[in-house]
Amino acid sequence: MADLHRGDLSSHPDVSEMRDRYARVLGGRDVALVDGPVFLLGLYCAASPWILHYTASQPALATHNLIVGIAIGLLALGFTRAPERMYGLSWAMCAMGIWMIIAPWIVGSRPDAGVIVNNIVIGALALVLGLVCAGTAAKSTPRP
């Protein structure tokens, strides 16, 4: 049986490469702290037409919220899976938040107050979470 030496890895020949790789892998985890709330926001956005019962009165807006909610959820999964590559899409989340705020008047037809408030709250939360992601990404990105 092989003699397994457990202890200090400082004498390992690849220790510097392992430390660099470990730092790269953990370096993008800051933005991933927001992925849970972003995913829940996307889930709520997709389900909100059925929760608030406006699928019949605003079918175009219901479809719109479903699609945007799925997109927000996919962004959250991307933040979880590969945060270092998703930094640039943090700003897309901000744009989606702004779009959600104005969508009831552009996509909808004479939306009532409940639909408007729902989309404004979803949009504001998406904008804030996108700004948090973008700010975290800017702080953790190494400068040359």
Side-chain angles (χ1 to χ4, degrees), residues 11-78:
S11 61
H12 193 281
D14 296 328
V15 72
S16 64
E17 181 181 333
M18 288 189 300
R19 282 188 182 139
D20 291 341
R21 183 167 188 254
Y22 185 72
R24 272 194 322 269
V25 168
L26 289 182
R29 294 308 300 166
D30 293 341
V31 76
L33 295 174
V34 185
D35 63 347
V38 171
F39 184 76
L40 289 175
L41 180 67
L43 184 65
Y44 175 74
C45 180
S48 66
W50 291 272
I51 293 170
L52 298 178
H53 305 290
Y54 63 87
T55 54
S57 64
Q58 299 286 332
L61 197 56
T63 304
H64 168 270
N65 280 17
L66 175 66
I67 292 169
V68 173
I70 290 170
I72 291 172
L74 289 174
L75 275 176
L77 293 176

Side-chain angles (χ1 to χ4, degrees), residues 73-143:
L74 289 174
L75 275 176
L77 293 176
F79 291 150
T80 301
R81 184 79 174 123
E84 67 279 351
R85 288 185 279 177
M86 295 296 289
Y87 285 157
L89 290 179
S90 300
W91 292 108
M93 179 94 165
C94 296
M96 288 169 52
I98 293 168
W99 172 251
M100 284 299 293
I101 291 171
I102 62 173
W105 295 281
I106 297 174
V107 178
S109 59
R110 293 182 314 205
D112 63 358
V115 173
I116 293 170
V117 169
N118 180 58
N119 272 36
I120 288 175
V121 168
I122 291 171
L125 287 172
L127 180 61
V128 167
L129 289 172
L131 289 172
V132 168
C133 289
T136 305
K139 281 194 312 188
S140 64
T141 304
R143 307 243 177 206

